[in-house]
């Protein structure tokens, strides 16, 4: 069990140091704490305490939480693509903040029925499964913890169609999927917002989003809405939906930083007061990633916020105002509430004083950020065009940034250019 608790903090301390801290903790408790209890206390001291079920929306690769068993699906047999038989079983568990399914495979599934009963409270260490709707337990044990939650499985309501006024907060590139009949297609995910807050976007017909980009306001007819994973909303667009560009923007609720509560998600706005350099680290799977620590103030309260992965490489300046959508709040290592864009979250820089611009230049992806540059200067630009692209960008400039509204790639006729050069040279012969 201790090795699973170490997995929660293996990016902070070595295994040798973790074992040493456990021994120190047992001694501090007068040898009254066993190894597991001491490991839990060490993990908490390092700022990685248990989360609530609603906290499973965070981006952590591993989670530790307590929950009460509400339902058992029974062990079901299925055929794998290679013809082998497999077993799968699910436990529906919950606390006072929500419910989630634990998924078990093969030997784990077979042993499940004789191990846990309805009403048992379990401690789970696990990770997201094949979808964000489930948790794959790495370790599970009964505990004496008491959880006060209603003993019933909450049925998800069927999606309903409605018309919506939305702000496009972020859009991911299209990605392929395979339907049950074996045919393939593409889908786009993203984040949208309206007067009720933010929602995850799923579009099964990417053509609907043609010509649309981050920051645009749209009116949608026939959108499907439903409760998302671990709470929150999902907005689904398909062949029965239609979109038009809207002239007005929805007001998305913003929460004051002083009102943040751990293990919940919010939309917050503030000014960056401190930016530290991004640091590279090695993930548990051996790949590298990045983390960056910053400070954010809304004028009354200042909190730390953390960027991970590609977000950590964004170029941000002290004094810039940002909006963080779906910001997940948690208690940091030093007791402060800290925030970071949660699962499906996004960060946008809010322009200051603006002026319209039309810039012809080249796109360069530099360590400091992506820029459009020409003889007159360089500006930070949010674009997916490849390095070296020659582009005409129209938009608004604010300080060192260009907020792009449209971009046109300039394509050269190389043969025609060669002929013109040859003609020019011959004119001097």
């Amino acid at each position: 069990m201790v090795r699973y608790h170490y997995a929660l903090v293996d990016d902070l301390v070595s295994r040798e140091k973790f074992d040493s801290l456990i021994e120190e903790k047992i001694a501090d408790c007068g040898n009254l704490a066993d190894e597991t209890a001491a490991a839990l206390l060490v993990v908490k001291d390092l700022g990685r305490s248990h989360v609530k079920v609603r906290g499973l929306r965070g981006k952590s690769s591993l989670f530790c939480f307590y929950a009460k068993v509400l339902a058992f699906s029974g062990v079901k047999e299925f055929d794998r693509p290679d013809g082998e038989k497999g077993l799968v079983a699910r436990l529906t568990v919950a606390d006072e903040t929500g419910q989630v399914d634990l998924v078990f495979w093969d030997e784990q599934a077979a042993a499940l029925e004789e191990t846990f009963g309805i009403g048992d409270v379990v401690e789970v260490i696990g990770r997201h499964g094949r979808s964000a709707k489930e948790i794959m337990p790495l370790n599970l044990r009964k505990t004496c913890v008491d959880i006060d939650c209603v003993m019933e499985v909450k049925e998800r309501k069927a999606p309903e169609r409605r018309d919506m006024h939305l702000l496009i907060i972020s859009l991911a590139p299209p990605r392929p999927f395979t339907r049950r009949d074996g045919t393939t297609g593409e889908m786009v995910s993203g984040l949208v917002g309206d007067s009720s807050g933010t929602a995850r976007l799923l579009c099964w017909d990417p053509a609907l989003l043609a010509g649309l980009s981050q920051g645009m306001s749209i009116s949608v007819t026939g959108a499907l809405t439903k409760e998302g994973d671990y709470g929150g909303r999902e907005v689904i667009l398909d062949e029965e939906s239609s979109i038009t560009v809207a002239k007005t923007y929805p007001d998305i609720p913003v929460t004051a930083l002083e009102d943040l509560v751990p293990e919940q998600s919010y939309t917050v706005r503030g000014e960056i007061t401190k930016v530290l350099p991004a640091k590279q680290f090695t993930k548990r799977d051996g790949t590298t990633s990045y983390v960056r620590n910053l400070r954010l103030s809304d004028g009354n309260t200042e909190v730390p916020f953390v960027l991970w992965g590609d977000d950590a490489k964004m170029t941000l300046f002290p004094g810039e105002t940002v909006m963080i959508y779906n910001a997940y709040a948690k208690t940091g290592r030093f007791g402060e509430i800290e925030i970071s864009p949660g699962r499906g979250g996004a960060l946008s820089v809010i322009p200051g004083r603006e002026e319209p611009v039309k810039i012809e230049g080249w796109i360069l992806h530099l360590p400091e950020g992506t820029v459009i540059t020409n003889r007159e200067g360089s500006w930070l630009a949010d674009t997916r065009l490849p390095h070296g692209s020659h582009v005409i960008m129209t938009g608004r400039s604010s300080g060192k940034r260009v907020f792009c509204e449209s971009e046109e790639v300039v394509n050269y006729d190389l043969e025609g250019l060669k002929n013109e050069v040859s003609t020019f040279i011959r004119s001097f012969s």
Side-chain angles (χ1 to χ4, degrees), residues 55-87:
L56 300 177
R57 282 177 274 179
K59 284 188 174 181
S60 298
S61 57
L62 284 177
F63 299 92
C64 189
F65 61 100
Y66 294 107
K68 181 178 290 186
V69 178
L70 302 187
F72 174 52
S73 69
V75 180
K76 299 178 181 179
E77 187 177 80
F78 65 94
D79 294 318
R80 290 193 166 91
D82 60 5
E84 294 291 325
K85 297 290 185 181
L87 299 175

Side-chain angles (χ1 to χ4, degrees), residues 302-319:
E302 183 175 287
V303 299
F305 84 97
V306 185
L307 296 176
W308 299 90
D310 290 339
D311 288 345
K313 296 187 285 184
M314 293 177 62
T315 303
L316 297 167
F317 303 105

Side-chain angles (χ1 to χ4, degrees), residues 1 39 42 49 59 111 135 152 168 178 183 188 190 198 225 249 252 270 282 287 314 341 348-349 353 359 385 413:
M1 187 68 179
V42 170
S49 57
K59 284 188 174 181
I135 291 291
E152 62 174 311
I168 299 175
T178 302
T183 60
V188 172
T198 59
T225 62
Y249 291 81
I252 301 175
T282 302
T287 61
M314 293 177 62
S348 295
V349 177
R353 183 178 178 183
I359 303 171
L385 291 176
D413 178 3

Side-chain angles (χ1 to χ4, degrees), residues 162-169 191-199 201 215-223 225 233 235 237 242-253:
R162 52 181 297 202
D163 299 339
M164 307 184 75
H165 181 205
L166 301 172
L167 172 70
I168 299 175
I169 297 171
L191 189 69
V192 293
D194 62 9
S195 57
S196 297
T198 59
L201 175 69
M216 296 183 70
S217 178
I218 57 175
S219 294
V220 181
T221 301
T225 62
R233 293 182 299 157
V235 174
L237 306 180
S242 63
I243 297 176
T244 57
V245 177
K247 295 182 179 180
T248 60
Y249 291 81
D251 291 323
I252 301 175

Side-chain angles (χ1 to χ4, degrees), residues 272-277 292-295 316-318:
I272 296 174
T273 59
K274 186 177 184 179
V275 179
L276 295 180
R292 168 172 275 179
N293 292 288
L294 309 93
R295 303 281 299 185
L316 297 167
F317 303 105

